[in-house]
C-alpha cells in the first residue's frame, strides 16, 4: 500500500510518494494547481505531472501502485468549500484513484508544521491566515484577501513600506531617502509618482508587489529603523491571528507550539519576536516555532490519518527518510 501526498499551490505543486510506514520512494514537481485560478482541469494536469515525476524517481508506474493500493491525499489552495472538495474528489476518482482525500492547503500545512499534532499555525506568504486544529474542532482566522485582510503578509509589509515613501514625498513624514532609493530600484522607476500606476494596475500583481517585502527585510537587517518597525507591526498582526485561533479552540492556556509557515518568516526575529510578544500579552503558553516539515509531508500525514495509521511512527520514518 502506498500514500501519494500532493501540495497543490498557486505557483507549483509538489508530490511525495511513500509507503504506509513513511518511507519516501519518490518526489516530483508540477505546475500551478489553485482550484480557483486553475480549475479542476488545471489541478488534475499539475498533479499528474508531479505524480509522474515521483513515480519515475521511485521506479514505479501507476498500474503498480494501483495494484498494491494507494491513497491520494491532496491539500489544494483555493478549495475551501464542501462543493470544491466534492468536485476535486470526483475528478481524481475519474482518473482511477478510488481512495481520495482532499482538503484545503492550510490543513496539510498544519499537519506538516506540527508533525500531526493539534495546534495552530500562521501562514504568511503573499497573503496571511491562521488555521488550527483541536480534536474535531477547526478554526480559520483571516485569509480574507488583500483588501479585507492579509495583515502581516508580504503584500501588507510592502504596502506599509511604500506608504512611508509616499508620506515622505508629501511631507507628511520625514523623507526616508534609503527606502525611497530601494523602492525606485525595485520597481525600476525614476520618480516616486510612477509607483501609482504600478500599484493600481489591474489585475493587481500581488506577487510582484509583495516581493518588495524581501527588500524591506534586507534593510531591516542592516539596521534600518523604519523597516524594523514595519516588520514588528507585521509580527504583531500575525500574533493576533494566532491568538484568535487559539481562543476559538480553547487552546490559549495550553502549552504547545504555533507554527510559523511561509516566506515572510525568513525575516526571522524581526518578525517572530514581536509575534511571540503578542501571544505572551494574551496569556498564551504557546511558543512560536518554524515548521517541522513542508506541507507536502503534511499531505502524506493526511493520507496516513485516512488509513488510521500511527502518526508518530509515520512521522519518525518520514524524518529519517528526509535526512538520508
Amino acid at each position: 500500500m502506498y500514500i501519494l501526498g500532493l501540495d497543490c499551490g498557486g505557483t507549483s505543486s509538489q508530490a511525495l510518494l511513500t509507503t504506509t510506514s513513511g518511507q519516501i520512494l519518490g518526489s516530483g514537481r508540477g505546475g500551478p494547481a489553485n482550484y480557483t485560478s486553475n480549475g479542476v482541469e488545471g489541478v488534475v494536469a499539475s498533479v499528474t505531472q508531479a505524480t509522474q515525476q515521483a513515480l519515475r524517481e521511485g521506479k514505479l508506474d501507476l498500474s503498480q501502485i494501483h495494484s498494491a493500493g494507494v491513497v491520494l491525499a491532496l491539500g489544494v489552495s483555493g478549495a475551501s468549500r464542501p462543493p470544491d472538495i466534492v468536485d476535486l474528489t470526483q475528478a481524481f476518482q475519474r482518473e482511477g484513484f478510488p481512495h481520495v482525500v482532499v482538503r484545503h492547503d492550510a490543513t496539510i500545512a498544519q499537519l506538516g508544521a506540527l508533525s500531526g499534532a493539534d495546534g495552530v499555525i500562521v501562514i504568511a506568504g503573499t497573503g496571511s491566515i491562521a488555521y488550527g486544529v483541536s480534536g474535531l474542532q477547526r478554526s480559520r482566522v483571516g485569509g480574507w484577501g488583500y483588501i479585507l485582510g492579509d495583515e502581516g503578509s508580504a503584500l501588507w509589509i510592502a504596502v506599509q513600506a511604500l506608504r512611508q515613501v509616499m508620506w515622505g514625498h508629501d511631507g507628511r513624514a520625514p523623507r526616508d531617502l534609503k527606502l525611497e532609493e530601494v523602492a525606485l530600484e525595485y520597481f525600476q522607476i525614476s520618480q516616486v509618482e510612477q509607483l501609482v500606476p504600478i500599484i493600481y494596475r489591474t489585475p493587481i500583481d500581488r506577487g510582484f508587489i509583495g516581493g518588495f517585502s524581501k527588500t524591506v527585510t534586507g534593510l531591516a537587517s542592516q539596521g534600518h529603523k523604519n523597516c524594523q518597525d514595519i516588520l514588528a507591526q507585521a509580527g504583531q498582526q500575525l500574533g493576533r491571528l494566532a491568538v484568535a485561533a487559539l481562543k476559538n479552540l480553547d487552546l490559549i492556556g495550553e502549552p504547545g507550539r504555533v507554527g510559523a509557515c511561509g516566506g515572510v518568516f525568513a525575516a526571522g526575529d524581526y518578525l517572530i519576536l514581536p509575534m511571540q510578544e503578542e501571544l505572551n500579552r494574551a496569556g498564551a503558553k504557546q511558543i512560536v516555532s518554524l515548521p517541522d516539515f513542508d506541507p507536502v509531508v503534511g499531505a502524506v500525514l493526511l493520507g496516513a490519518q485516512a488509513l488510521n495509521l500511527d502518526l508518530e511512527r509515520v512521522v519518525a520514518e518520514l524524518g529519517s527518510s528526509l535526512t538520508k
Side-chain angles (χ1 to χ4, degrees):
M1 187 91 179
Y2 299 96
I3 299 173
L4 181 57
L6 268 297
D7 172 20
C8 302
T11 304
S12 64
S13 50
Q14 284 184 279
L16 202 60
L17 178 65
T18 76
T19 64
T20 52
S21 67
Q23 180 186 356
I24 295 173
L25 303 174
S27 61
R29 283 188 173 273
N34 179 286
Y35 177 77
T36 305
S37 304
N38 305 110
V40 175
E41 295 81 6
V43 173
V44 170
S46 294
V47 166
T48 300
Q49 182 184 7
T51 297
Q52 288 174 343
Q53 189 175 332
L55 288 168
R56 283 196 298 270
E57 190 174 297
K59 297 181 173 56
L60 293 164
D61 58 40
L62 273 176
S63 64
Q64 288 175 293
I65 65 171
H66 282 310
S67 295
V70 58
V71 175
L72 176 63
L74 311 98
V76 184
S77 61
S80 57
R81 304 176 308 128
D84 306 338
I85 304 300
V86 171
D87 196 14
L88 287 162
T89 300
Q90 292 176 346
F92 283 105
Q93 287 173 340
R94 289 193 296 271
E95 292 293 312
F97 290 93
H99 196 168
V100 181
V101 187
V102 181
R103 296 290 185 271
H104 188 266
D105 60 344
T107 302
I108 62 168
Q110 191 274 343
L111 283 166
L114 302 180
S115 295
D118 284 358
V120 168
I121 63 165
V122 175
I123 306 172
T126 305
S128 66
I129 187 172
Y131 179 76
V133 175
S134 179
L136 296 177
Q137 290 183 286
R138 304 288 183 270
S139 177
R140 163 189 162 151
V141 177
W144 305 124
Y146 68 94
I147 293 177
L148 297 178
D150 285 350
E151 298 88 352
S153 68
L155 182 63
W156 187 92
I157 290 168
V159 169
Q160 304 313 304
L162 294 175
R163 281 180 176 152
Q164 291 282 343
V165 171
M166 304 314 290
W167 292 343
H169 178 71
D170 285 345
R172 288 185 282 166
R175 190 176 176 190
D176 190 328
L177 293 176
K178 185 60 181 177
L179 188 56
E180 183 178 318
E181 175 191 336
V182 297
L184 296 179
E185 181 181 350
Y186 179 86
F187 290 99
Q188 298 184 339
I189 54 178
S190 58
Q191 297 179 344
V192 168
E193 295 94 331
Q194 292 173 305
L195 281 168
V196 176
I198 294 173
I199 301 305
Y200 290 102
R201 182 184 299 145
T202 55
I204 183 173
D205 192 339
R206 294 180 299 149
F208 175 56
I209 298 169
F212 184 60
S213 65
K214 295 178 183 177
T215 302
V216 174
T217 297
L219 280 183
S221 68
Q222 297 169 24
H224 191 280
K225 182 67 165 55
N226 275 345
C227 290
Q228 290 176 348
D229 289 346
I230 290 168
L231 292 178
Q233 292 163 21
Q236 291 167 0
Q237 293 289 344
L238 297 172
R240 288 169 191 164
L241 290 175
V243 167
L246 289 167
K247 287 182 176 178
N248 291 344
L249 296 168
D250 295 323
L251 291 175
I252 196 77
E254 299 295 324
R257 295 182 294 151
V258 169
C261 309
V264 163
F265 288 105
D269 286 348
Y270 293 111
L271 199 80
I272 291 174
L273 291 180
M275 182 177 173
Q276 183 67 59
E277 288 168 4
E278 197 67 28
L279 267 69
N280 295 345
R281 271 193 290 272
K285 295 183 179 180
Q286 310 277 326
I287 303 298
V288 179
S289 66
L290 294 177
D292 294 341
F293 298 105
D294 290 337
V296 70
V297 175
V300 172
L301 294 178
L302 177 64
Q305 278 186 336
L307 292 171
N308 294 314
L309 300 178
D310 184 331
L311 284 193
E312 286 190 13
R313 289 186 179 181
V314 175
V315 165
E317 184 59 36
L318 283 166
S320 176
S321 289
L322 287 167
T323 55
K324 288 179 181 177

